[in-house]
Amino acid sequence: MALTRTALRTAAIGTVSAALLAGPAVVSAPASPAATASADVRGMDAYGTSGATGVRFADIEGDGGTVLKANAVVPADSDGHRRYPAIVLPTSWAMPQIEYLAQARKLADSGYVVVSYNTRGFWQSGGRIEVAGPPDVADASRVIDWTLANTPADPQRIGVAGVSYGAGISLLAAAHDKRIKAVVALSGWADLIGSIYSGRTQHRQAAGLLGGAGYLTGRPSEEMQRILKDFLGSNLAREQQMTDWGWKRSPAAYLDRINDNGAAVMLGNAWGDTVFPPNQYASFYEKLTGPKRLEFRPGDHATAEAPGLLGLPNDVWSSAHRWFDRYLKGVDNGIDREQPVQLVSRTGGGYEGYPDWKSVGATERKIALDGRKRIYANVDSGANGGTVMLSNTLDQFLKLPPMAVVPFLPRSFAAVWQSERYGSEQRLRGTAKLHTTVTSTKGSGTLVAYLYDVGPLGIGKLISNAPYTFHGRTPGTPFSVDLELFSTAYDVPAGHRLALVVDTVDPLYIEHNPSGAQLTFSSSATDPSYLSVPLRKE
């Protein structure tokens, strides 16, 4: 029985949600009616000239002969002679090939050839999940080859775009294929290890979500299965192999190639992305030398652009269309003359423009972390970063971030420092940084730092957090810790104060605290501890 696109899209989204709830389980990828009905499209005249934007399903031969299930959409006025700019869309992790159909139609209606394909290993595409490995990068080039041979695409005007997994593959493809002139990478990564292993700490829920969705909707490669097992199992003997594997799949590793190829790169992400936190995107953006744009908004992983995938009005996709219009069509729409860094505060307000990332938090205020505080490890104090994909979505739509009653946090398990009450609004923008001295009774351990906006009643709303893990330290010997919290934009109301809380357990992360461990935080005249808070320059 045929299914509507809406039903298929709803089923796909439900599948991803089920992966988080069900956890890893090896099952066969369900049959996709769209993929089953696909047929190899040969030649430009297959699309016809009926006056309606055409959609055709296709089998595309990827790297090594792997079959990739795809769909192509062309402008309604295609006559077999005119050439159009083309955009290739690799699908997101665990999503079927119809993911981008709403946006593909809009792009085709405005004069683009659009080819979307299911990345290898997922759904009805062949092969195994390589996690943006070399075969995935080669696949993107094979899809471009097919697009040029089978659609009225202009070889001089090729773009790639994607959400999440598709974003990472798009950036990697731009490093390896000089034909790509423009990239839009939404909710993706530049540094894979810096995303899910930041602070040398495994992001448990993020990795579990990705692994579970991969097993449920696809066929993980043996290498992926081994890496995931070592990662979630804290196999430190294979830590170097894991980091090498991740770096090979990181666009930041190929930065020079991306710059040499000169593609115009637009990056977009959410402040609360619990899969690919914003810091690594901002760092990567600063090192790009070609035309570039960086946009950050409230939300969690892919939640800012999700309405656009359903065909609803969406400013993320509006920016993406403008970017392609400028750098593939040559339309003088002014996007290249706007401030290239565009931010929206989590607490409300419109877009703020900045000339570069370092200008975002141009003013720095340090909060002294005086005194000596000792805490016991292995107990969740009540301060935590929430739940992957849920907490920051609630913050996006309802302004309900994770909260804690700061005066009631048990000081035996949480170190707490607070600022004075501010007489005026404090506009935090960018990356808060913690510097402190730690002494542990054990050689290994994990700490998690949280920054809260604390109101008059002591209720703290989470502004940011970040984990830090150490190994191989001499028990009883102090060592310095420098930790960047996840970047954000947040306005602290007048009359509120900031609180830094440090504990040792958070459900988001895997902790490495031996039984009975204690951590002591100290400050000295020669090496004072502090929290550096970035503020918008007025």
Side-chain angles (χ1 to χ4, degrees), residues 380-387 391 401-404 409 448 450 452 462 464-465 501 503 505-509:
D380 190 338
S381 70
N384 66 72
T387 302
S391 299
M403 299 183 190
L409 292 175
V448 185
Y450 308 90
Y452 285 99
L462 186 66
S464 184
N465 77 99
V501 178
D503 71 3
V505 176
D506 191 304
L508 285 174
Y509 312 113

Side-chain angles (χ1 to χ4, degrees), residues 9-57:
R9 189 182 295 117
T10 301
I13 294 171
T15 295
V16 177
S17 301
L20 177 59
L21 297 175
V26 181
V27 299
S28 299
S32 165
T36 303
S38 67
D40 194 7
V41 179
R42 305 288 184 185
M44 290 182 288
D45 60 352
Y47 294 92
T49 56
S50 65
T53 303
V55 179
R56 294 291 185 271
F57 293 97

